[in-house]
Amino acid sequence: ELDSRSLTYSSLATTRFGAFPCLPTLDVHYCSQLRRQSRESMISQLLNYATQLEEYARDAEYACANVIALLKKSFQEYGVDPPPLPSPIPLTSYPLDYATPQAICP
């Protein structure tokens, strides 16, 4: 059945799964392999995006630290008190409640 539909991994991005009526008869092992391959692909893409985001955050943090150091010296030169910096928000104020997709949609 999969051979007659030409469903290979490379064609999954262009294949419309709802276009043919025999979808419920797909092999369970084939579907689990598709899920595993999709999960691995998603994890590698997430790691790639997280690396890019981490580099951006590191560069922005470094630039901000440079500006603060420059302004601190300028305030000291002119004898002006620097404005107070806002207090940082602690990480505990962001909830990290995670529920697996299997628990949300069984």
Side-chain angles (χ1 to χ4, degrees), residues 71-94:
L71 288 175
K72 186 182 284 187
K73 289 179 184 177
S74 298
F75 283 123
Q76 288 173 353
E77 284 291 322
Y78 287 103
V80 178
D81 291 333
L85 293 174
S87 59
I89 300 172
L91 289 177
T92 56
S93 65
Y94 299 103

Side-chain angles (χ1 to χ4, degrees), residues 2-4 23 34-36 39-40 45 50 52 54 58 61 73 81 83 86-87 89-91 100 103:
L2 295 175
D3 292 335
S4 66
L23 180 63
L34 284 177
R35 278 191 219 102
R36 187 179 314 122
R39 185 181 319 126
E40 290 172 4
Q45 288 177 1
Q52 292 174 3
E54 180 67 28
R58 189 181 321 114
E61 207 171 287
K73 289 179 184 177
D81 291 333
S87 59
I89 300 172
L91 289 177
T100 61

Side-chain angles (χ1 to χ4, degrees), residues 2-75:
L2 295 175
D3 292 335
S4 66
R5 302 278 182 198
S6 300
L7 286 177
T8 60
Y9 181 72
S10 60
S11 68
L12 290 178
T14 58
T15 303
R16 292 182 43 219
F17 278 112
F20 48 92
C22 59
L23 180 63
T25 62
L26 288 177
D27 185 26
V28 175
H29 299 293
Y30 178 74
C31 292
S32 68
Q33 290 172 351
L34 284 177
R35 278 191 219 102
R36 187 179 314 122
Q37 181 65 29
S38 298
R39 185 181 319 126
E40 290 172 4
S41 174
M42 180 188 67
I43 289 172
S44 67
Q45 288 177 1
L46 281 173
L47 288 174
N48 184 23
Y49 291 136
T51 303
Q52 292 174 3
L53 185 60
E54 180 67 28
E55 289 174 8
Y56 173 78
R58 189 181 321 114
D59 292 342
E61 207 171 287
Y62 182 72
C64 184
N66 284 339
V67 168
I68 289 173
L70 176 70
L71 288 175
K72 186 182 284 187
K73 289 179 184 177
S74 298
F75 283 123

